[in-house]
Amino acid sequence: AGSGEARIARISLVTSDSVSTDQIPCGDSFAIETKIDVQQPIDKLHCVYWIQNIAGQRLFRMHSADVGFQTEATPPALLVRSSVESCPLLPGLYEIRARLVDGPGRLVDDVRSALQFQVSEKEMMGFARMPGGKREVVFVQTHREALPSSGK
């Protein structure tokens, strides 16, 4: 699907050491590398990724425009690397859906199941042993927002 000006040729996960992998330990940093074959120049290309479980439920989204990344894509190809500081997923099997969008928001390409990967357990701070051998992970996220003043 999409305009055909560019196509996602390959998506891979790489470790912080730039090694290609299909398994990420929970909490480790990783990156999504996307090789894009460019047929026609595109001004302000954005990459959008959804991490979803195998049932197709979207768990989180990464959009390059959210961090100010837009690039001019020129033939023949482009390599985009999107980093994740800490894998926020519990152990299990997941997949990545990837989409390319141009500046005005037109769909350029969409790959529904671009890559499957495994998140494995890792002993680390934040994990606690649960009854029956189950594990629970606690995530702390810094959240800032402006609250209206109370006028007092």
Side-chain angles (χ1 to χ4, degrees), residues 22-132:
D22 63 354
Q23 185 168 348
I24 302 292
C26 184
D28 278 11
S29 62
F30 67 96
I32 301 171
E33 275 191 357
T34 306
K35 181 179 182 280
I36 302 166
D37 289 338
V38 182
Q39 309 304 315
Q40 299 172 19
I42 302 170
D43 188 36
K44 297 182 181 176
L45 183 70
H46 306 261
C47 299
V48 185
Y49 306 100
W50 287 275
I51 306 293
Q52 54 196 35
N53 63 21
I54 294 304
Q57 295 170 314
R58 294 180 183 171
L59 303 174
F60 72 90
R61 174 188 75 112
M62 298 184 331
H63 190 271
S64 62
D66 291 346
V67 293
F69 177 81
Q70 304 176 67
T71 189
E72 181 181 341
T74 56
L78 176 68
L79 184 65
V80 176
R81 184 177 181 139
S82 302
S83 298
V84 176
E85 289 182 14
S86 176
C87 181
L89 301 168
L90 292 173
L93 191 59
Y94 299 91
E95 62 185 12
I96 296 173
R97 179 178 183 174
R99 181 176 280 181
L100 302 176
V101 181
D102 68 8
R106 291 181 311 126
L107 179 65
V108 175
D109 195 19
D110 184 28
V111 180
R112 291 188 181 273
S113 184
L115 175 74
Q116 284 191 357
F117 67 99
Q118 179 92 25
V119 174
S120 60
E121 289 186 0
K122 177 181 176 182
E123 291 294 332
M124 57 182 268
M125 188 186 319
F127 276 100
R129 181 69 66 181
M130 299 294 290

